[in-house]
Amino acid sequence: MNPLLVEVTATDGAARCGRVVTPRGEYRVPAFMPVGTRGSVKGLDSSDLEALGAEVVLANTYHLMLRPGADVVADLGGLHRFTGWSGHTLTDSGGFQVHSLQSKVDDEGVTFASIYDGSAVRLTPESAVEVQGLLGADIQMVLDVCASLPAGPDVLDQAVDRTAAWAARARTRFDRLERRPAGQALFGIVQGGTDAGLRSISARRTVELDFDGYGIGGLSVGESRTEMLDALAVTVPFLPVDRPRYLMGVGDPVGMLEAVALGVDQFDCVAPTRAARHGSIWTTSGRLNLRNAMHARDDTPLDAACPCPTCGRWSKGYLRHLLSVGEPTAVRLLSIHNLTFVFGLMDAARAAIAAGTLDALRASTLATWGDGERGRPTSTAGGVNARGGLGYSRSAVTTPTSSPDAR
């Protein structure tokens, strides 16, 4: 029996909004999942995430299996108790690290060097499932092969074949796994690069294994946005309407809304919080570079339309000062702002789908942000269409219970 139930409350073309019901509760879709790589979103704690209205947080299997170790997390009560987070959690499989670390891949699995001490580490479809069972997230992902783009047909063919074979092995091991939470869900992953034929083949082979949900991987890894969207348009129609659809690693405003229009339900990306740590602020008027000297004496908030506690209390000048001197408080306050923006965008997307105005939201977002590729949004002059544009849901954001100095 599928532990997840997708309840669609409205559609606008292929886009849909509603909720995913789980043994833990539910989360609204479309959804953005902040990335808590080592069990924490950098600079934030669980009370911050609760105050921001986060409903699903991603944790990184690769890092947690190395430090502190999946068995340590299990002994300390699993991810939820370990991190003090009561919402939903999703763990990736380590497949993207396989891609980014240029590890040695063979038909049986992958071998890579630990980033902590250089020791050799082996990961297989079975061990990835076992590790994630110990971590205890609500959703775990199968181990896949993510090819960098552009890639030749032989590379993409092999990635699709290995991903499908590994998915079958993961499915079998997962079904027999004893050390995992009751009701934990397993998502398959579709690969195929930008090749329409391979995308359809991979989608069919993955769906045949009857996963609880489906990740769409191998995108935002070197291709243009047009190529990414073309690949998505081919893939999504093959995915069951009663299962969540998750576009992995995409988190820029234009990219997410275009994917929502194609039927994607959820996203994850480090972009909003990483950008914040570098002074790149996401606002309803586009991107703002807080490091610019012009903000040194600016007494206005980052975004006058933003309901976050950062904008409600501190000026650009003060926040720029914290950033310039390397004060850790800046990481927290700026990350709170950028995540408020992204969660507000998801609120706006759900409202637009319900109202049948998603096209207007897409157009205004593109006009404001431009066609920034691969999670690097570009700012343009001009404001935002007040009726169809970006907006925040003030009711979804409350003041964090921890102090501004909390790490």
Side-chain angles (χ1 to χ4, degrees):
M1 181 178 178
N2 192 331
L4 305 183
L5 173 65
V6 177
E7 294 184 354
V8 177
T9 57
T11 60
D12 185 359
R16 60 192 199 166
C17 68
R19 61 182 189 157
V20 177
V21 181
T22 77
R24 183 170 299 278
E26 64 182 53
Y27 60 90
R28 297 169 296 166
V29 291
F32 176 79
M33 304 181 292
V35 177
T37 301
R38 293 174 173 87
S40 171
V41 178
K42 285 189 178 181
L44 304 181
D45 62 31
S46 296
S47 61
D48 291 325
L49 296 173
E50 290 165 355
L52 287 166
E55 295 179 344
V56 191
V57 175
L58 183 144
N60 187 285
T61 296
Y62 166 82
H63 286 284
L64 290 173
M65 67 182 281
L66 298 178
R67 298 284 189 280
D71 55 338
V72 174
V73 175
D75 288 346
L76 292 174
L79 268 178
H80 292 91
R81 186 172 178 184
F82 182 60
T83 63
W85 168 246
S86 60
H88 291 84
T89 54
L90 180 149
T91 45
D92 61 12
S93 64
F96 187 75
Q97 278 65 46
V98 171
H99 153 77
S100 62
L101 296 176
Q102 299 181 333
S103 309
K104 182 179 179 181
V105 182
D106 55 58
D107 288 342
E108 295 305 309
V110 57
T111 303
F112 53 87
S114 166
I115 62 169
Y116 297 102
D117 59 15
S119 62
V121 180
R122 181 70 171 170
L123 196 62
T124 68
E126 293 83 3
S127 66
V129 165
E130 292 163 2
V131 167
Q132 292 179 86
L134 291 173
L135 294 175
D138 299 289
I139 300 169
Q140 65 157 285
M141 308 297 297
V142 300
L143 184 65
D144 64 322
V145 181
C146 176
S148 298
L149 298 177
D154 291 346
V155 172
L156 293 177
D157 264 329
Q158 187 177 64
V160 166
D161 285 342
R162 278 182 173 158
T163 295
W166 289 5
R169 289 165 53 188
R171 170 89 271 182
T172 298
R173 183 69 187 108
F174 180 83
D175 289 341
R176 299 172 181 172
L177 196 60
E178 295 181 359
R179 294 195 66 187
R180 65 176 175 88
Q184 187 181 50
L186 179 66
F187 280 24
I189 301 177
V190 178
Q191 287 289 341
T194 56
D195 186 292
L198 287 177
R199 278 282 163 187
S200 62
I201 290 170
S202 181
R204 289 181 188 274
R205 293 175 69 178
T206 308
V207 170
E208 285 174 357
L209 294 169
D210 192 30
F211 288 103
D212 303 315
Y214 295 90
I216 304 166
L219 295 174
S220 195
V221 289
E223 80 286 1
S224 69
R225 173 167 288 122
T226 298
E227 291 173 319
M228 180 189 81
L229 295 176
D230 287 346
L232 270 180
V234 170
T235 305
V236 173
F238 287 100
L239 305 182
V241 297
D242 62 342
R243 311 290 167 92
R245 304 155 174 171
Y246 161 31
L247 177 57
M248 305 174 73
V250 172
D252 68 288
V254 174
M256 286 193 291
L257 289 185
E258 293 302 306
V260 165
L262 292 171
V264 171
D265 298 314
Q266 56 196 76
F267 307 87
D268 83 281
C269 194
V270 298
T273 47
R274 177 178 288 169
R277 296 195 298 273
H278 290 85
S280 179
I281 309 305
W282 295 13
T283 79
T284 51
S285 296
R287 185 175 59 183
L288 179 154
N289 185 353
L290 191 60
R291 292 189 180 275
N292 285 346
M294 63 184 290
H295 301 303
R297 290 178 170 81
D298 193 335
D299 195 38
T300 63
L302 298 173
D303 186 347
C306 178
C308 81
T310 302
C311 288
R313 188 165 186 173
W314 294 285
S315 69
K316 291 190 187 85
Y318 176 67
L319 295 168
R320 180 183 182 275
H321 157 68
L322 296 181
L323 188 68
S324 298
V325 299
E327 169 55 50
T329 306
V331 172
R332 177 173 179 269
L333 297 181
L334 299 179
S335 295
I336 284 172
H337 170 81
N338 273 9
L339 284 179
T340 299
F341 173 87
V342 177
F343 291 142
L345 182 64
M346 294 294 98
D347 289 340
R350 291 190 294 268
I353 293 168
T357 59
L358 183 62
D359 284 348
L361 178 61
R362 291 166 58 201
S364 64
T365 304
L366 181 61
T368 301
W369 286 82
D371 193 22
E373 294 286 351
R374 299 173 54 216
R376 297 192 295 272
T378 56
S379 176
T380 59
V384 181
N385 184 319
R387 305 193 68 179
L390 300 177
Y392 295 99
S393 172
R394 292 185 178 271
S395 62
V397 182
T398 57
T399 303
T401 56
S402 52
S403 72
D405 292 319
R407 292 298 304 278

